[in-house]
Amino acid sequence: MTASERVTVRITKEQLLLIQDLIDKGKFGTMTEIVVSALDEFLGKYYSPENIRKVTVDLPKGNMIRLEELVRDGDSISIDDAIRNAVREYTRNRVS
């Protein structure tokens, strides 16, 4: 296991309730898991390689279901991969 440091942060009651709801629904196992995941995502945005730009996209649930099907059917290795492929194909079609 990697050495870690303890950090204390203050959050609102509403944030705490939302975090606890995610744990109760089984989306995450612990509060630490949620915080570390959020920090990884945040830091990845600011410390990604020079040739990569991270983009966050809100998609309708129907699109997410179709992307999950692509992954399940083996057409993509992950939802991120499916989105990259879709953007690449769209760009290729628009430019040519």
Side-chain angles (χ1 to χ4, degrees):
M1 186 172 154
T2 306
S4 62
E5 299 290 329
R6 180 181 297 263
V7 176
T8 303
V9 296
R10 292 188 180 277
I11 61 175
T12 66
K13 177 104 173 148
E14 292 79 17
Q15 290 169 319
L16 180 60
L17 291 171
L18 291 171
I19 288 170
Q20 190 59 52
D21 185 55
L22 290 171
I23 294 168
D24 293 346
K25 289 179 177 176
K27 303 279 185 186
F28 293 89
T30 65
M31 188 176 301
T32 297
E33 201 177 307
I34 292 172
V35 172
V36 169
S37 175
L39 280 172
D40 285 343
E41 186 175 326
F42 175 81
L43 293 172
K45 178 180 175 183
Y46 289 97
Y47 291 99
S48 60
E50 290 288 325
N51 63 329
I52 294 177
R53 181 169 175 208
K54 292 195 179 246
V55 177
T56 301
V57 179
D58 293 325
L59 295 173
K61 189 169 186 164
N63 291 51
M64 286 303 298
I65 291 169
R66 289 186 197 99
L67 289 169
E68 289 166 351
E69 289 170 357
L70 288 173
V71 173
R72 193 173 43 252
D73 294 344
D75 292 324
S76 293
I77 59 172
S78 67
I79 289 178
D80 287 345
D81 183 59
I83 292 170
R84 277 189 296 273
N85 289 337
V87 169
R88 192 177 300 118
E89 186 66 26
Y90 175 82
T91 305
R92 188 178 300 130
N93 288 337
R94 295 289 294 185
V95 171
S96 47

